[in-house]
Amino acid sequence: MYSDKVMDHFQHPRNVGEIENASGTGTVGNAKCGDIMRIYLDIDENQIIRDVKFKTFGCGAAVATSSMATELVKGKSVQEAMQVTNKAVMEALDGLPPVKVHCSLLAEEAIHAALWDYAQKNNIQIEGLDKPKSDIGEGEEEEEY
């Protein structure tokens, strides 16, 4: 069962589309479920995210987490965007079913991938940012043991 916020972001997603000549673009996917998420960032000279758009191929939860993630980073600094975790995305959506938690991980990783691209293009380092993975494995947490 999905929360009202998940349903709202699925049925009325915010910030859908592309940004031409984006400051940073991040694409991540989950090979096991087939979801693919791309985030575009427009970042100004003060490292503030002026605009953010997304394109997602996936289930309703993938669309909803993409939409919410863009809302959470819009207008924020690059460093503030780094603090947007999958947990923050889930909490902002009033939760996700356990089987859909990986969608919020995709949203977090897509933001990080776009920030990584921005850092690479501008030859800068963003504190706490590691090179993103392109494939986020479902159930990855359990497989680490």
Side-chain angles (χ1 to χ4, degrees), residues 69-136:
T70 61
E71 288 288 280
L72 292 174
V73 300
K74 196 173 197 173
K76 301 281 194 301
S77 71
V78 165
Q79 211 51 58
E80 287 171 321
M82 281 291 300
Q83 307 311 310
V84 174
T85 63
N86 73 301
K87 189 172 186 233
V89 172
M90 282 196 303
E91 285 174 1
L93 287 169
D94 294 337
L96 286 171
V99 70
K100 293 299 181 179
V101 168
H102 68 277
C103 294
S104 63
L105 283 168
L106 275 176
E108 176 185 339
E109 289 297 321
I111 290 167
H112 288 180
L115 290 170
W116 179 265
D117 183 48
Y118 164 73
Q120 295 296 296
K121 286 178 179 174
N122 291 280
N123 203 22
I124 60 170
Q125 277 198 310
I126 299 172
E127 189 178 331
L129 183 62
D130 297 320
K131 185 171 185 182
K133 304 173 200 128
S134 58
D135 179 28
I136 311 304

